[in-house]
Amino acid sequence: MDYRCFALQKDASTPLYRQLADHIKRAVKEGELQPGEKLPPIRKLAEQLGISPITVSQSYDVLALEGVASGSIGRGTFLLPRPSITSAFQAKPLQPTLEGSQQPPAKPPEWMAALQQQLRLPRAALLQRTLQNAVKRWPAEEPLLHFSSGNPDANLFSLERWQEAMTQAGISLKQEEDTNNLQYGASALGDPALRSFLAAYIRRYGIYVDTESILLTSGTQQGLDLIARSLLQPGDSVFVEEMSYISALDIFEQRGVQWETIPLDEYGLQTEVLARKLEATPQNRPRLLYTIPTGQSPTGVSLAQERRRHLAELARKHNLLIIEDDAFNELYYQGVTPAPAIWNYETEGRVIYLKSFSKTIFPAVRLGCIVAAPALLSVLVRQKQIFDRPTPISTTRTVLHYLNALAYERELTHIRRTYHQRRNALLTALEQELSPFGCHWSIPQAGFNLLLSIPEHLDSIQVVEEAASRGLVLAPGQFFAPVRTQQSSNTLRLTFADKSPQQLEEATRRLAAVLQTLVQTERRPIHSTPQFTTEV
Amino acid sequence: MDYRCFALQKDASTPLYRQLADHIKRAVKEGELQPGEKLPPIRKLAEQLGISPITVSQSYDVLALEGVASGSIGRGTFLLPRPSITSAFQAKPLQPTLEGSQQPPAKPPEWMAALQQQLRLPRAALLQRTLQNAVKRWPAEEPLLHFSSGNPDANLFSLERWQEAMTQAGISLKQEEDTNNLQYGASALGDPALRSFLAAYIRRYGIYVDTESILLTSGTQQGLDLIARSLLQPGDSVFVEEMSYISALDIFEQRGVQWETIPLDEYGLQTEVLARKLEATPQNRPRLLYTIPTGQSPTGVSLAQERRRHLAELARKHNLLIIEDDAFNELYYQGVTPAPAIWNYETEGRVIYLKSFSKTIFPAVRLGCIVAAPALLSVLVRQKQIFDRPTPISTTRTVLHYLNALAYERELTHIRRTYHQRRNALLTALEQELSPFGCHWSIPQAGFNLLLSIPEHLDSIQVVEEAASRGLVLAPGQFFAPVRTQQSSNTLRLTFADKSPQQLEEATRRLAAVLQTLVQTERRPIHSTPQFTTEV
């Protein structure tokens, strides 16, 4: 065909390369060009059309990207003999929607509505909806001050080092030339190189296991899911701290489990209460306890060493399985290292230990691990193999190179120090601004959060709404309560990891103003709720 | 302390740096060195001990790796105040196991046994066990010839390009400096950059959707799991081809579904039979069909275009949801591109389209995607967010750079051509060696497999065992039958992707010898099973 008939407009808003690509696609559609046909050499077509070879080259790239053509160096660019654009349908034209507007309708067909309703809405989505509704009154163009994110501070991530680690990971995979790593046949435990490193790494937590006792997961989230679907049936009940991690609650609740809550104090889960519950109902009681022993979420408290020992004794005595979620054990404050993991005290395999790297690398890394006794791990590995296969090798290998550097140790120290300063700034601001209202709060030993108890005649939703009207976003405590209580409705989760001391002070001042307004409106005496309280 | 008392032995088998690290650990354990204490500068200690500074540096690295010490440039190396080795336990010594042999017992405590039994063993594990038992009689040192792997050929992967892609991925993440990509807050749909590319890429299959209609998963396996747990309840029934993909069967069966099978012929799933079943039981019938339209597994047959159109009509008429697993659509043979995806024929959102990159990149890449109408996708995305979060960014970004290169198109052509040659070699060998026995086989249009029907008085397990005794590994067909039938027990799945033409000829010759032996033993007339048959 004669390409000179393409009418290219140099002063149009559509770039020339896009115009040329569109002309070629139209010619294919109208049968002027056939699949399999070779497009003219770049320089020749550029000359014919009086445009730059770069423009033609860009056009061909667009066509390749859109699946219309395929080029290779030395051979030229060919129109693809594939069901691209319309060629595959020319024999029997289908719906008019095939011309490019094939987007399915936005409105769900009626038969899908029932489906969507049968799924239980997760707490995280409900919380998000509550916060979105609350901030509707705040002008969209004004920035919001989030006191509720739960995120690590992205500015503490080292993207330079991540880039290096990806490069090194690629080199190591190439050098090994071990195609076994690339096949389906590889063990669902995941990359042996990273497991071997982690087995050495977690000795610093006092955990001595071999490489075969570690299962790599795409984060603690997947780890908890494997546990819930392997070890629990709908209707089973599970012991849990009276306030806990919203996303863990979601996973277990999606599985259909019931909660049996254990109260917390400043030394963590009250093991004496657990002991009484276990003694009281030896038969019909949970087989499993989910706990965050260090930097408990959302209170930030850490389980005392004596209680860890006690918990292990209870596990042995009552055949209780403990899920130890140790996401925060490297982000401890007050210069005191956390007590050894509960894992250390139970040597008969009744602890499943989970470690996340979302808090110390970054959340999107999606890499965590499960450590468990062989008999239990084999069940979890089998589920991982059925439902997912091993965690991706490009991720595991990059994490290996990221962690296996002294720089990581330095970064950890820096991250810990930074969060410690923020925690202290928040505690000081709370003392100054909120103790006049009779508020109490937990003292975080590790992690990103603390739990604030507000005067008991106020409801946290009321506070959240009033705060939102001042551009302050707060998370009401009841979303973190496995079983909602009056007490949990009197709390807020405050997070400090991703805010500067100045922002935390400002957020606390705004919260004080909110409480001032509400207390005046209510005209009732100030009365505090004694919960999770150790004053500074 | 005086480090000169360390007795280092230069001619010992333990390297010097290891000896030095051990001495320091012993000194920590015995209280001669305290946590928090600074170790001597590298040069100074090297001088004192009369060894190389490199040796000292290696020792400090070992200590850092084992969590005993932490070093930073300019500050020096410090013994860590952590629960490392024994320091954390000195106050109250625990079990003797803490000294390094803390491996949990290999034997599962009795309370775990019940747990393991309640989980349904997957087909893939049963198949593996069957094959392992069969080959026990074969001497371990002799190589086995696998006619059953189902793996792509690892030698066709481009590790050079993967390495480049990892490097480019790291650079792009660094350059973007977009910390939103790294946080929890990122959409569970996954990396927008890869989704945007894939939206353009899949237009070559005639699928026009925007970036928000694509959900990235860690492979088709996770995609199917999200579908099964979102759209099905235990006890639900599902339409499926009479022979299907073993790992898909496993996922649905773990969810507790029942199968309703539809027969296959050389044009794929018999939609007329499906139509009759749908008409016959308008109320109490499956809401969902799982199908592999191109290169069906294990038969390799492709669904004819007219049947694709018919299937879409049936979906509309009977409100049937179609799960279209298109793992093999790029590995088609006979120079004929596959018919357009079923997706193209159903514009009201009743098709969920799944694409895998395990076959054209490599299985351990763990990257696939789900394309679905917004209402349906929103359900799947929510489940992905609850149970897993977005697919890891290091993986998605690497895949983007790997796919977004003209070299990938060249590689695809090469892979397709290679597999095509192997398929032809196998078909020729079958014709030559097995037609005398009255065997029949499916003709693969795409994919890695074909299904062989053996004489009906032979049982495939018998053939598998006899073959194993000759070092040939075969996969008995019944494992791929959703509902086991007499007919399925007369089949074998043969795979050709990872074998050379010579190996395929040799494998076929051995299979012929096996049949010869069994037919002679049985002394019965040769009689073939007419199933999935189009002779070459």
Side-chain angles (χ1 to χ4, degrees):
Chain A
M1 75 164 284
D2 189 353
Y3 289 83
R4 278 168 300 188
C5 69
F6 290 170
L8 300 180
Q9 298 178 308
K10 296 205 179 179
D11 48 1
S13 65
T14 310
L16 276 175
Y17 74 90
R18 188 72 252 184
Q19 289 182 44
L20 176 55
D22 288 344
H23 276 293
I24 293 172
K25 280 160 69 180
R26 188 195 42 74
V28 171
K29 196 166 128 190
E30 292 171 4
E32 296 166 21
L33 288 169
Q34 296 299 326
E37 200 168 314
K38 186 174 174 177
L39 292 173
I42 289 171
R43 296 207 160 271
K44 194 175 150 200
L45 185 55
E47 216 169 273
Q48 279 186 359
L49 296 174
I51 58 177
S52 148
I54 292 167
T55 306
V56 178
S57 166
Q58 282 177 322
S59 285
Y60 286 9
D61 284 351
V62 165
L63 294 173
L65 199 70
E66 294 187 351
V68 180
S70 171
S72 63
I73 294 155
R75 266 184 64 228
T77 301
F78 291 83
L79 291 168
L80 282 172
R82 298 194 188 187
S84 61
I85 315 299
T86 58
S87 62
F89 307 109
Q90 276 175 345
K92 300 178 183 178
L94 293 167
Q95 304 87 345
T97 51
L98 281 170
E99 293 302 321
S101 62
Q102 204 194 341
Q103 191 66 26
K107 194 171 161 292
E110 164 193 333
W111 60 279
M112 275 183 197
L115 187 102
Q116 281 181 291
Q117 279 170 1
Q118 87 191 18
L119 294 166
R120 180 175 182 156
L121 208 62
R123 287 165 181 260
L126 288 168
L127 172 59
Q128 204 179 7
R129 191 182 286 179
T130 303
L131 300 188
Q132 275 165 355
N133 282 338
V135 300
K136 268 183 189 159
R137 283 188 291 167
W138 184 250
E141 64 281 6
E142 294 285 320
L144 286 162
L145 183 51
H146 286 269
F147 214 169
S148 62
S149 86
N151 280 345
D153 186 345
N155 296 315
L156 297 171
F157 308 151
S158 175
L159 274 172
E160 285 90 351
R161 285 228 307 113
W162 189 253
Q163 180 189 333
E164 275 168 36
M166 288 199 79
T167 302
Q168 288 169 346
I171 292 170
S172 77
L173 287 172
K174 174 72 187 72
Q175 279 177 346
E176 282 172 32
E177 290 277 5
D178 181 358
T179 49
N180 281 330
N181 279 340
L182 311 178
Q183 287 286 17
Y184 285 115
S187 162
L189 288 171
D191 189 5
L194 179 57
R195 281 188 284 125
S196 165
F197 172 80
L198 288 179
Y201 185 87
I202 60 176
R203 288 185 197 167
R204 65 178 67 181
Y205 318 147
I207 297 177
Y208 289 78
V209 292
D210 67 18
T211 305
E212 301 307 303
S213 298
I214 298 178
L215 165 61
L216 303 179
T217 60
S218 57
T220 290
Q221 210 59 19
Q222 188 184 44
L224 292 174
D225 184 35
L226 289 173
I227 290 167
R229 69 201 297 181
S230 305
L231 310 184
L232 291 165
Q233 297 293 335
D236 282 356
S237 60
V238 170
F239 285 122
V240 64
E241 287 132 1
E242 62 182 317
M243 301 293 273
S244 188
Y245 175 46
I246 190 166
S247 295
L249 297 180
D250 271 337
I251 283 197
F252 288 101
E253 286 174 357
Q254 294 284 329
R255 184 71 183 159
V257 306
Q258 309 292 318
W259 296 116
E260 182 79 52
T261 60
I262 308 293
L264 285 159
D265 62 22
E266 66 265 47
Y267 301 109
L269 179 145
Q270 296 182 26
T271 51
E272 285 303 331
V273 178
L274 175 64
R276 283 200 299 275
K277 289 201 178 201
L278 287 167
E279 299 288 352
T281 53
Q283 295 305 318
N284 189 22
R285 48 99 186 149
R287 288 187 306 149
L288 204 139
L289 164 78
Y290 170 72
T291 180
I292 307 166
T294 303
Q296 202 272 344
S297 178
T299 61
V301 300
S302 289
L303 192 64
Q305 182 160 347
E306 260 321 298
R307 288 193 180 173
R308 291 175 189 233
R309 192 191 311 271
H310 188 202
L311 203 49
E313 273 168 28
L314 292 174
R316 270 193 299 279
K317 188 167 170 195
H318 299 278
N319 243 342
L320 183 72
L321 189 63
I322 296 174
I323 313 302
E324 180 173 22
D325 181 350
D326 218 9
F328 289 115
N329 70 331
E330 289 177 316
L331 297 175
Y332 52 84
Y333 308 124
Q334 302 187 308
V336 181
T337 58
I342 305 166
W343 171 278
N344 285 289
Y345 300 95
E346 215 302 289
T347 53
E348 288 172 30
R350 288 192 192 84
V351 177
I352 301 181
Y353 181 87
L354 292 130
K355 183 73 197 114
S356 160
F357 291 95
S358 296
K359 319 294 181 192
T360 52
I361 303 182
F362 53 79
V365 66
R366 308 314 308 138
L367 198 284
C369 69
I370 301 179
V371 183
L376 206 40
L377 200 70
S378 68
V379 173
L380 301 175
V381 172
R382 187 199 292 158
Q383 303 296 94
K384 171 88 166 144
Q385 173 66 15
I386 297 172
F387 298 117
D388 187 44
R389 314 279 189 230
T391 296
I393 188 121
S394 43
T395 295
T396 58
R397 202 49 72 92
T398 304
V399 168
L400 170 62
H401 287 281
Y402 191 84
L403 295 178
N404 193 6
L406 283 179
Y408 179 68
E409 304 291 342
R410 280 200 299 281
E411 287 158 12
L412 259 187
T413 306
H414 176 64
I415 291 171
R416 196 183 290 131
R417 194 179 297 142
T418 306
Y419 291 157
H420 192 178
Q421 283 163 356
R422 292 172 184 181
R423 162 197 178 270
N424 290 352
L426 175 56
L427 290 175
T428 307
L430 289 175
E431 179 62 22
Q432 209 164 319
E433 302 287 340
L434 297 193
S435 45
F437 296 95
C439 291
H440 292 267
W441 48 88
S442 58
I443 306 294
Q445 309 278 312
F448 293 173
N449 315 292
L450 62 77
L451 195 71
L452 179 78
S453 298
I454 55 176
E456 70 176 8
H457 66 281
L458 296 180
D459 180 87
S460 61
I461 296 288
Q462 196 186 3
V463 176
V464 166
E465 285 176 355
E466 179 64 28
S469 74
R470 296 161 190 250
L472 179 69
V473 186
L474 294 168
Q478 47 263 58
F479 288 92
F480 309 97
V483 178
R484 198 172 291 197
T485 58
Q486 176 56 38
Q487 221 179 11
S488 68
S489 301
N490 262 114
T491 60
L492 297 166
R493 181 187 74 171
L494 304 185
T495 65
F496 53 85
D498 64 346
K499 295 281 169 295
S500 70
Q502 293 71 31
Q503 286 171 317
L504 292 166
E505 283 154 20
E506 169 61 22
T508 310
R509 269 195 300 273
R510 284 200 212 173
L511 177 52
V514 168
L515 293 179
Q516 184 64 42
T517 306
L518 292 175
V519 165
Q520 280 172 348
T521 317
E522 301 272 330
R523 294 171 191 279
R524 283 177 53 179
I526 291 167
H527 199 123
S528 74
T529 317
Q531 193 198 9
F532 318 118
T533 55
T534 327
E535 281 173 53
V536 188
Chain B
M1 74 165 284
D2 190 352
Y3 290 83
R4 279 168 299 188
C5 68
F6 289 169
L8 301 180
Q9 297 177 308
K10 295 204 178 182
D11 48 1
S13 65
T14 310
L16 276 176
Y17 75 89
R18 187 72 252 182
Q19 289 183 44
L20 176 55
D22 288 344
H23 275 294
I24 292 172
K25 280 158 70 180
R26 188 195 42 74
V28 170
K29 198 168 129 188
E30 292 172 4
E32 296 166 20
L33 288 168
Q34 296 298 327
E37 199 168 316
K38 186 174 176 177
L39 292 172
I42 289 170
R43 298 207 158 270
K44 194 174 153 204
L45 184 56
E47 216 169 275
Q48 279 186 0
L49 298 173
I51 59 177
S52 149
I54 293 168
T55 306
V56 177
S57 167
Q58 282 176 321
S59 284
Y60 286 9
D61 284 350
V62 165
L63 294 172
L65 198 70
E66 294 187 351
V68 181
S70 172
S72 65
I73 295 156
R75 266 185 65 228
T77 302
F78 290 83
L79 291 168
L80 282 173
R82 298 192 188 187
S84 61
I85 317 297
T86 57
S87 61
F89 307 108
Q90 277 176 342
K92 299 178 184 177
L94 293 168
Q95 305 87 346
T97 52
L98 280 169
E99 294 300 321
S101 62
Q102 205 195 341
Q103 192 66 25
K107 195 171 158 292
E110 161 195 337
W111 60 278
M112 275 184 198
L115 186 103
Q116 281 181 292
Q117 279 169 0
Q118 86 189 21
L119 294 166
R120 180 176 181 153
L121 208 61
R123 287 164 181 261
L126 288 168
L127 171 59
Q128 205 181 3
R129 192 182 286 178
T130 303
L131 301 187
Q132 276 164 354
N133 283 338
V135 301
K136 268 183 190 156
R137 283 188 292 166
W138 185 251
E141 63 281 8
E142 295 284 319
L144 287 161
L145 183 52
H146 287 268
F147 215 170
S148 62
S149 86
N151 280 345
D153 185 346
N155 296 314
L156 296 170
F157 308 151
S158 175
L159 274 172
E160 286 88 352
R161 286 229 304 112
W162 189 254
Q163 180 189 331
E164 276 169 34
M166 288 200 78
T167 302
Q168 288 169 347
I171 292 170
S172 78
L173 287 172
K174 173 73 188 73
Q175 278 176 348
E176 282 173 29
E177 291 275 5
D178 181 359
T179 49
N180 281 330
N181 279 339
L182 310 180
Q183 285 287 16
Y184 285 116
S187 162
L189 288 172
D191 187 7
L194 179 57
R195 281 189 285 126
S196 164
F197 173 82
L198 287 180
Y201 185 89
I202 60 175
R203 287 184 198 170
R204 63 178 67 183
Y205 317 147
I207 297 177
Y208 289 78
V209 292
D210 67 17
T211 306
E212 302 306 303
S213 298
I214 298 178
L215 165 61
L216 304 178
T217 60
S218 56
T220 290
Q221 211 58 20
Q222 188 183 45
L224 292 173
D225 184 36
L226 289 173
I227 290 167
R229 69 199 301 181
S230 305
L231 311 183
L232 291 165
Q233 296 292 334
D236 281 357
S237 60
V238 170
F239 286 122
V240 64
E241 286 132 0
E242 62 182 318
M243 301 292 272
S244 188
Y245 176 45
I246 190 167
S247 295
L249 298 180
D250 271 337
I251 282 197
F252 288 101
E253 287 174 356
Q254 293 285 329
R255 183 70 183 159
V257 306
Q258 309 292 318
W259 295 116
E260 182 80 49
T261 61
I262 309 292
L264 285 159
D265 62 21
E266 65 265 46
Y267 302 109
L269 179 145
Q270 296 184 26
T271 52
E272 284 303 329
V273 178
L274 175 64
R276 284 200 299 275
K277 289 202 178 198
L278 286 167
E279 298 289 349
T281 54
Q283 294 306 317
N284 189 20
R285 48 97 186 151
R287 289 187 306 150
L288 204 140
L289 164 78
Y290 169 73
T291 180
I292 306 166
T294 303
Q296 202 272 344
S297 179
T299 61
V301 300
S302 289
L303 192 64
Q305 183 160 347
E306 260 322 297
R307 287 195 181 170
R308 291 174 189 232
R309 192 191 309 276
H310 188 203
L311 204 50
E313 272 167 30
L314 293 175
R316 269 192 299 279
K317 189 170 170 192
H318 298 279
N319 243 342
L320 182 71
L321 189 63
I322 296 174
I323 312 302
E324 180 174 24
D325 181 350
D326 218 8
F328 289 115
N329 70 332
E330 288 177 318
L331 297 174
Y332 52 85
Y333 309 125
Q334 302 185 308
V336 181
T337 57
I342 305 166
W343 171 279
N344 285 289
Y345 300 94
E346 216 302 290
T347 53
E348 288 172 29
R350 288 192 192 83
V351 177
I352 301 181
Y353 182 87
L354 292 132
K355 184 72 196 114
S356 160
F357 292 94
S358 295
K359 319 295 181 190
T360 53
I361 302 181
F362 52 81
V365 65
R366 308 314 308 138
L367 198 283
C369 68
I370 301 179
V371 184
L376 207 40
L377 200 71
S378 67
V379 173
L380 301 175
V381 171
R382 189 199 291 158
Q383 303 296 94
K384 172 89 166 142
Q385 173 67 15
I386 297 171
F387 298 116
D388 186 45
R389 314 282 190 227
T391 296
I393 190 122
S394 43
T395 295
T396 58
R397 202 48 73 91
T398 304
V399 169
L400 170 62
H401 287 281
Y402 191 84
L403 294 178
N404 193 6
L406 284 179
Y408 180 67
E409 304 291 342
R410 279 199 302 280
E411 286 158 12
L412 259 186
T413 307
H414 176 64
I415 290 172
R416 197 183 290 131
R417 194 178 297 141
T418 307
Y419 291 158
H420 193 178
Q421 283 164 356
R422 293 173 183 180
R423 160 196 180 270
N424 290 352
L426 175 57
L427 290 174
T428 308
L430 290 175
E431 180 62 23
Q432 210 165 319
E433 303 288 341
L434 297 193
S435 46
F437 296 96
C439 290
H440 291 266
W441 48 89
S442 57
I443 307 294
Q445 308 279 310
F448 293 173
N449 315 291
L450 61 77
L451 194 71
L452 178 79
S453 298
I454 55 176
E456 69 177 10
H457 66 279
L458 296 179
D459 181 88
S460 60
I461 296 288
Q462 197 185 3
V463 177
V464 166
E465 284 176 355
E466 179 64 28
S469 74
R470 295 158 191 252
L472 180 68
V473 185
L474 294 167
Q478 47 264 56
F479 288 93
F480 310 97
V483 178
R484 199 173 291 197
T485 58
Q486 176 56 37
Q487 221 179 9
S488 68
S489 300
N490 263 115
T491 59
L492 296 166
R493 181 188 74 171
L494 303 185
T495 64
F496 53 84
D498 63 347
K499 295 281 168 296
S500 71
Q502 293 69 34
Q503 287 171 316
L504 292 165
E505 284 155 20
E506 170 60 22
T508 310
R509 269 195 300 274
R510 286 200 212 174
L511 177 51
V514 168
L515 293 179
Q516 185 64 44
T517 307
L518 292 174
V519 164
Q520 281 172 349
T521 316
E522 302 272 330
R523 295 171 191 280
R524 285 178 50 181
I526 290 165
H527 199 124
S528 74
T529 318
Q531 193 197 10
F532 317 121
T533 58
T534 327
E535 281 172 52
V536 188

